[in-house]
Amino acid sequence: MRPDQNKQFVYEMDNVLDLYHEPYDEDRPVICFDESSKALRGHKRDPIPAEPGSVARIDTHYERNGKKKIHLATEPLTGWVTVAVTDRRRACEWVDQMVELADNHYPDADCIRVVIDHLNTHNPANFYQFLPPDEAQEYLDRFEFHFVPKHGSWLNMAEIELGVLKRQCLDRRIYHAATLCSEVAA
């Protein structure tokens, strides 16, 4: 890592860690946001159940059924988590998730502080691409974005929540989007 990259890493790491050390403030919640994807696929043949003298057998061949994107937001100090599943991961989906946070989950907050990574879709300027300028500015006035360092996604608590979600219910083949949605909702 070059020294100038190290300075940027330390700056962004300190910024996020300082934010995490602040006491809870319902008027200025700290929200961590991240995305992941899940390939939908299923077995081409039904598994053969175990019988006396033999173990269950599962065919390694599978049938693809597309991919879904998982968007997770969490408020670490309260334990609140919300998950949305979409077909794609684009700037418009990210803006939609931020608008959802502002309008439905934190309508009375003075400032919603969001910890995010440097993904190309996580650009506050994208609000202007999908909303009229006045409305985009109104939303941006309600947000404060804190970026985790590049190669420092482990600092984003939403990344940790996604890891838990994967271990709890997404570490198996899921063929249907409806099943995926019900699994992440549970």
Side-chain angles (χ1 to χ4, degrees), residues 94-107:
W94 179 73
V95 170
D96 287 346
Q97 294 302 311
M98 295 301 106
V99 167
E100 171 89 8
L101 282 174
D103 290 349
N104 297 337
H105 299 291
Y106 298 95

Side-chain angles (χ1 to χ4, degrees), residues 73-90:
T74 182
E75 186 178 10
L77 291 178
T78 64
W80 174 82
V81 177
T82 187
V83 181
V85 176
T86 63
D87 291 330
R88 300 178 68 183
R89 180 201 50 84
R90 301 172 298 183

Side-chain angles (χ1 to χ4, degrees), residues 36-55:
S36 184
S37 63
K38 175 67 178 169
L40 300 178
R41 56 188 185 200
H43 299 287
K44 283 191 172 183
R45 290 180 264 193
D46 291 335
I48 301 170
E51 296 176 350
S54 69
V55 297

Side-chain angles (χ1 to χ4, degrees), residues 89-163:
R89 180 201 50 84
R90 301 172 298 183
C92 61
E93 280 83 12
W94 179 73
V95 170
D96 287 346
Q97 294 302 311
M98 295 301 106
V99 167
E100 171 89 8
L101 282 174
D103 290 349
N104 297 337
H105 299 291
Y106 298 95
D108 299 325
D110 295 334
C111 178
I112 304 165
R113 298 174 294 171
V114 181
V115 175
I116 52 176
D117 58 22
H118 285 275
L119 194 62
N120 63 336
T121 59
H122 298 169
N123 184 343
N126 288 332
F127 278 80
Y128 289 100
Q129 183 178 353
F130 301 104
L131 300 171
D134 292 346
E135 189 177 347
Q137 188 58 55
E138 284 178 28
Y139 278 111
L140 289 172
D141 287 345
R142 296 188 56 209
F143 284 103
E144 183 180 287
F145 296 103
H146 296 263
F147 292 89
V148 296
K150 291 179 181 171
H151 309 294
S153 61
W154 48 271
L155 285 164
N156 187 342
M157 291 189 193
E159 177 100 6
I160 296 165
E161 288 287 341
L162 280 168

